[in-house]
Amino acid sequence: MPRHTVHIPTATFDWRRPVNLITPSITYLSPRYCDSSWALAVTSTMSDKIKIASTGKTIVQLSPQALINCGVGSCSKGIPSDAISFARKFGIPEESCQNYMGQNPNKTSCSDVQLCASCSGTLFSFSCTVAKNGKKWTLPDSGVVPAGAAAMKT
């Protein structure tokens, strides 16, 4: 069986040059503390993959708040693989459609307003209505990687 060589980028490889292929990072400490690192990791990775696949022409920031609103996880717990499964099945809207509030909703649901909203007010007192024409991004199904030492033999 032929061997396949994987070329690992050298220490000088930089995803930002010559074309910046990464998206901005969001912190779970702002606007308030919400340990949603599981959601931030998945949405950031998906956003980067979209930008890389388009060689920098498509720039989106996906909404971790939508994952929290839908009950995929919360500000105290969440599993990245659950977020990936959700993205494959339902898609994740852009950040501009559901801004990161850094808080659990009063009631988790995937209603239209929990996925794509236009909100007004202050951080502690606001009201939202459904925003029209929101776009969701999905992940394609992927293959299964076999586990164990036997799977690593070539």
Side-chain angles (χ1 to χ4, degrees):
M1 190 179 295
R3 291 184 174 256
H4 298 281
T5 304
V6 176
H7 296 282
I8 300 172
T10 65
T12 60
F13 185 82
D14 188 341
W15 283 101
R16 298 168 297 170
R17 293 177 183 86
V19 175
N20 185 352
L21 295 175
I22 58 174
T23 56
S25 296
I26 299 174
T27 177
Y28 61 86
L29 300 174
S30 177
R32 60 175 59 86
Y33 180 78
C34 172
D35 190 2
S36 57
S37 55
W38 59 273
L40 295 168
V42 170
T43 55
S44 179
T45 301
M46 284 181 64
S47 297
D48 288 348
K49 287 182 79 140
I50 292 164
K51 191 170 182 182
I52 291 166
S54 71
T55 59
K57 294 178 183 80
T58 303
I59 303 168
V60 296
Q61 189 74 37
L62 300 182
S63 173
Q65 188 67 47
L67 294 169
I68 296 168
N69 290 354
C70 286
V72 178
S74 69
C75 284
S76 59
K77 64 181 177 183
I79 301 170
S81 60
D82 291 347
I84 291 167
S85 295
F86 181 89
R88 282 197 176 105
K89 188 171 183 179
F90 302 106
I92 300 175
E94 296 177 8
E95 173 78 15
S96 61
C97 203
Q98 186 55 255
N99 289 327
Y100 183 66
M101 301 297 287
Q103 68 182 25
N104 294 322
N106 292 331
K107 181 181 177 188
T108 58
S109 103
C110 277
S111 67
D112 289 343
V113 75
Q114 292 282 52
L115 290 174
C116 193
S118 175
C119 302
S120 60
T122 67
L123 184 60
F124 300 103
S125 175
F126 57 91
S127 63
C128 301
T129 58
V130 175
K132 303 294 183 199
N133 302 323
K135 184 173 185 176
K136 289 184 189 176
W137 294 81
T138 60
L139 282 173
D141 289 333
S142 58
V144 176
V145 177
M152 291 185 238
K153 294 181 181 175
T154 57

